């Protein structure tokens, strides 16, 4: 008799999880070892990593290709500003409130735009983002089309002194990245996650297994929207200033994020993380070139899509299916039996 | 009277939107491709017209003779060299590739022409108008509308009365069996994109004559075209014209209430129609 | 023995990791009708898809008048004069009956077949030429599918399960048209599950079993036992 066991972890994934834990501890200590500008950059990296993971969750796992996630980034920023300025909430309370509002608003939006299929869904999400942008441009209490700044008192209420404030903002960014990646990981390991991957692989077969496709995708959309709103709130806490064009910018919140996911590897958890690191490495070295840099990003994204559609992570993992995040179940004991 | 005037102006504007939409509708109908760079290609056409009309001292209307074949050729090459490699069951590759293309076009235009708004100068015809009782109609808007109707009638005729249209419909129905008839799918797709960009070129030139444009103007043109397609019903060319008209009227009426509401009103009417009639107002019967 | 118009040697075919054909050999001489028989899943349709270019092959696995054509695209194969009546007819639903026929002839190859000849062969199609092709009955749709293939004036006509799903009386009338079609000097490969039907129209028969040729010979020379052994593998 051979013993067949099913497990998810592999030696590679165990090592990776230990390394990840260590990295998080080192990064947590960054305010003590990094300079102010590095800290800001790291914070930005974590926010983009979160956006990329969320977009990948939506497009790479649920097949909901959105080019309108800036709707929720901007909504998060505005809700955070509104909650602190008008309702006098502390920033740490305002952030989760903004996330809840984002999730609540995304539910009727989903019900509406889920009527569009495939690529038309994508443009539909963009229309929604435009509606949000044009609507906030009409709200004069939030500065209308020219936008508004976060009052100094709100920023000061976060923590005493500039260093402490920046450290806290950084920890929030690190925390949200851990929460987002952890939440997506947990979702994918759950029953719902298995259902989601079944839908991705074969929608018809999944349906015949009794999986409610609409409801599963709806859940993913709403969860993603809520978390994207949360990230949006943090982005504008870091920026301290908001305007409709900046808040609902398709370039900043969606184009770069799509680039990150495509270059890293769509449909894997590792891809967006790797892609974020590559993107920031490129940006920090080439951003002085302005428009040429953006053209180059577009060319690289097209080339990757044409010649290596699984992205850099797809090239690295090759055919062996290496996973740093233990997601797939593997049957053990079969090879011994075969020999 | 102002309101009636606004409705008429909106309807005429809708002709332009219908031309934005016709190109999108055509390639979706033939190969299920949604081109995210469509709006940027409209704006690119306007810039090509700007360069030819300024460079050769031509009226932009005459520049059409150059812009249309240039864009059609570009479309054919784009499809054969790039987009055909992405065609398949997975809709993500064409979507992301055209998204990348959109960013490339925008930034290339920014480099070549700067962010300053430009306009095509068509001469006295731009301001000419005729009075019909209390209503004043601009000659240019009426001409754009008439051309939109002609373009859509032409596409309709091509689709249902010519060998090319037959090839498009057959390929749209069953790609592999169409190959058995001796139709080279790659070539048929190339022709569809060429035709789509020929229409796009016409739309771009008239966009440039009617309003000023800048390298970032493409996104909203894509969205207007898309809204007209969905309002009219997928796969229905005449429906697309109606979609454009409804969108144009919604925008001018919105602007009448408050200039800030112009674009918003169009989006809201689109979302309302999506909520009430998700298949559009004129869905295709055989679809 | 005349040179074959088409000769297939050692043809393999794959769907992803699944291999559907293993080293299939087959040859058709000019004017000959070859029947391909076999149970469901034996690889008959895969063979048709390979020959017509819908599945990619090694270039020299298929030779047309001596020339390797295995790696050509389907539209290039069609231009050589190889036409397929696909299993399940697969007409173009947005085209009328007449448009389906016209598009079959869009390559413009010269030969005896044109709209008038097709309407002469199947008069009912002329009556219904302006209706959408998929609004016809199954038998009439099969006539359109055959007519569509003939319109290209092929030298080799391949018919995949043309009697599938049709009433016996309709099958009979379609097969009655077959001598008229083959009488024009073209060669044909007829795929059939109905062995008696296959033997009656062909001069040569090839039996497939699980992707391999299990029997081949003259249609009149094979015994029932040989055939059923090759067919079912018992």
């Amino acid at each position: 008799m051979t013993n067949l066991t099913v497990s998810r972890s592999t030696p590679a994934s165990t090592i990776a999880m230990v390394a990840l834990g260590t990295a998080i501890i080192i990064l947590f200590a960054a305010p003590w070892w990094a300079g102010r500008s590095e800290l800001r950059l790291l914070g930005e990296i974590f926010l983009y990593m979160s956006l990329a993971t969320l977009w990948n969750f939506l497009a790479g796992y649920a097949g909901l290709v959105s080019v309108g996630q800036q709707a929720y980034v901007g909504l998060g920023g505005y809700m955070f500003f509104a909650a602190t300025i008008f309702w006098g909430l502390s920033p740490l309370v305002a952030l989760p409130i903004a996330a809840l509002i984002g999730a609540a608003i995304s539910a009727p939006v989903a019900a509406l735009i889920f009527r569009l299929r495939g690529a038309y869904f994508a443009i539909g999400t963009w229309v929604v983002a435009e509606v949000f942008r044009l609507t906030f441009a009409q709200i004069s209490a939030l500065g209308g089309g020219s936008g508004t700044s976060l009052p100094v008192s709100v920023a000061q209420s976060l923590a005493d002194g500039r260093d402490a404030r920046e450290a806290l903002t950084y920890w929030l960014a690190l925390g949200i990245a851990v929460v987002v990646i952890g939440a997506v990981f947990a979702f994918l390991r759950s029953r719902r996650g298995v259902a989601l991957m079944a839908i991705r692989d074969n929608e018809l077969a999944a349906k015949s297994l009794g999986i409610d496709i609409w409801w599963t995708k709806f859940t993913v959309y709403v969860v993603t929207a809520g978390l994207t709103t949360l990230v949006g709130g943090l982005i504008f806490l870091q920026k301290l200033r908001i305007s409709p064009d900046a808040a609902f910018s398709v370039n900043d919140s969606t184009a770069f994020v799509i680039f990150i996911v495509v270059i890293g590897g769509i449909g894997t958890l590792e891809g967006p993380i790797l892609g974020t690191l590559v993107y920031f490495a490129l940006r920090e070295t080439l951003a002085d070139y302005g428009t040429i840099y953006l053209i180059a990003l577009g060319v690289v994204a097209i080339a990757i899509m044409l010649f290596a559609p699984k992205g850099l992570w797809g090239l690295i993992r090759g055919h062996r299916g290496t996973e740093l995040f233990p997601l797939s179940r593997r049957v053990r004991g079969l090879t011994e039996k075969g020999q | 009277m102002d309101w009636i005037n606004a409705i008429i102006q909106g309807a005429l504007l809708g002709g332009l939107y219908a031309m934005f939409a016709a190109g999108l509708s055509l390639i979706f109908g033939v190969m299920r491709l949604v081109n995210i760079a469509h709006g940027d290609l409209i704006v690119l056409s306007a810039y090509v017209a700007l360069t030819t009309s300024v460079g050769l001292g031509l009226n932009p209307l005459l520049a059409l003779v150059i812009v249309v074949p240039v864009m059609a050729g570009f479309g054919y090459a784009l499809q054969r060299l790039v987009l055909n490699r992405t065609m398949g069951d997975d809709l993500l590759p064409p979507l992301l590739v055209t998204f990348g293309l959109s960013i490339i076009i925008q930034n290339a235009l920014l480099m070549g022409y700067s962010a300053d708004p430009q306009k095509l100068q068509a001469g006295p015809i731009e301001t000419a108008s005729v009075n019909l009782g209390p209503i004043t109609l601009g000659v240019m808007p009426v001409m754009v509308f008439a051309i939109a109707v002609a373009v859509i009638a032409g596409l309709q005729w091509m689709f249902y009365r010519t060998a090319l249209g037959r090839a498009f419909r057959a390929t749209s129905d069953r790609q592999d069996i169409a190959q058995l008839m001796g139709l080279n799918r790659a070539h048929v797709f190339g022709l569809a994109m060429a035709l789509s960009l020929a229409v796009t070129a016409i739309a771009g030139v008239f966009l440039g004559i009617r309003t000023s444009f800048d390298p970032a103007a493409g996104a909203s043109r894509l969205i207007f075209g898309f809204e007209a397609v969905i309002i009219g019903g997928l796969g229905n060319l005449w429906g697309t014209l109606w979609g454009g008209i409804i969108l144009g009227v919604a925008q001018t009426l919105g602007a009448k209430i408050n200039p800030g509401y112009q674009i918003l009103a169009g989006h809201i009417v689109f979302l309302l129609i999506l909520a009430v009639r998700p298949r559009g107002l004129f869905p295709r019967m055989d679809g | 023995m005349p040179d074959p118009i088409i000769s297939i040697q050692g043809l393999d075919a794959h769907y992803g990791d699944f291999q559907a054909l293993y080293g299939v050999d087959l040859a058709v001489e000019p004017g000959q009708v070859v029947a391909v028989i076999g149970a469901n899943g034996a690889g008959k349709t895969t063979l048709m898809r390979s020959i017509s270019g819908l599945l990619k092959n090694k270039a020299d696995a298929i030779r047309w008048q001596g020339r390797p054509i295995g790696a050509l695209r389907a539209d290039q194969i069609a231009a050589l004069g190889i036409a397929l009546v696909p299993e399940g007819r697969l007409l173009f639903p947005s085209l009328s009956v007449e448009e389906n026929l016209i598009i079959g002839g869009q390559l413009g190859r010269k030969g005896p077949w044109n709209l008038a000849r097709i309407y002469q062969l199947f008069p009912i199609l002329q009556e219904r030429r302006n209706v959408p092709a998929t609004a016809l009955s199954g038998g009439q749709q099969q006539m359109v599918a055959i007519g569509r293939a003939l319109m290209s004036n092929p030298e080799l006509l391949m018919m995949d399960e043309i009697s599938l799903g049709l009433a016996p009386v309709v099958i009979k009338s379609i097969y009655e048209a077959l001598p008229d079609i083959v009488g024009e000097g073209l060669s044909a490969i007829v795929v059939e599950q109905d062995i008696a039907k296959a033997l009656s129209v062909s001069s040569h028969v090839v039996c497939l079993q699980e992707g391999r040729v299990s029997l081949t010979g003259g249609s009149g020379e094979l015994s029932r036992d040989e055939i059923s052994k090759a067919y079912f593998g018992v």
Side-chain angles (χ1 to χ4, degrees), chain A residues 35-79:
Chain A
R36 186 166 272 162
S37 62
E38 285 95 49
L39 206 58
R40 271 191 82 87
L41 180 64
L42 279 173
E44 206 187 342
I45 289 176
F46 293 133
L47 293 174
Y48 264 100
M49 203 176 270
S50 312
L51 288 180
T53 300
L54 289 167
W55 188 83
N56 179 48
F57 184 40
L58 208 54
Y61 285 99
L64 294 166
V65 184
S66 165
V67 293
Q69 289 309 95
Q70 67 273 21
Y72 298 106
V73 174
L75 184 68
Y78 270 106
M79 284 302 120

Side-chain angles (χ1 to χ4, degrees), chain B residues 140-154:
Chain B
M140 201 67 220
V142 172
M143 191 172 130
V144 173
F145 187 83
I147 286 173
V149 172
V151 162
I152 285 171

Side-chain angles (χ1 to χ4, degrees), chain A residues 60-114:
Chain A
Y61 285 99
L64 294 166
V65 184
S66 165
V67 293
Q69 289 309 95
Q70 67 273 21
Y72 298 106
V73 174
L75 184 68
Y78 270 106
M79 284 302 120
F80 172 73
F81 272 49
T84 50
I85 298 173
F86 301 145
W87 310 330
L89 293 176
S90 122
L92 294 180
V93 179
L95 285 171
I97 298 270
L100 287 177
I101 294 174
I105 288 181
S106 74
V109 168
L112 192 55
I113 60 175
F114 274 24

Side-chain angles (χ1 to χ4, degrees), chain C residues 148-171:
Chain C
R148 184 176 68 176
L150 287 175
M151 282 291 285
S152 69
N153 282 302
E155 290 178 55
L156 175 68
L157 178 68
M158 302 190 291
M159 292 186 281
D160 194 356
E161 308 258 14
I162 52 173
S163 49
L164 201 69
L166 300 182
V169 58
V170 179
I171 299 173

Side-chain angles (χ1 to χ4, degrees), chain C residues 47-70:
Chain C
L47 178 60
M48 296 299 104
R49 290 178 62 85
S50 294
I51 298 173
S52 59
L54 292 174
L55 286 178
K56 284 278 156 276
N57 312 295
K58 285 203 284 290
D60 54 4
I62 303 175
R63 286 177 179 274
W64 175 252
Q65 297 165 349
R67 177 186 157 201
I69 60 160

Side-chain angles (χ1 to χ4, degrees), chain B residues 104-119:
Chain B
I104 293 172
I105 294 174
Q106 269 182 48
N107 286 286
L109 289 174
L110 202 57
M111 261 173 61
Y113 294 90
S114 85
D116 298 336
Q118 304 279 358
K119 199 174 163 306

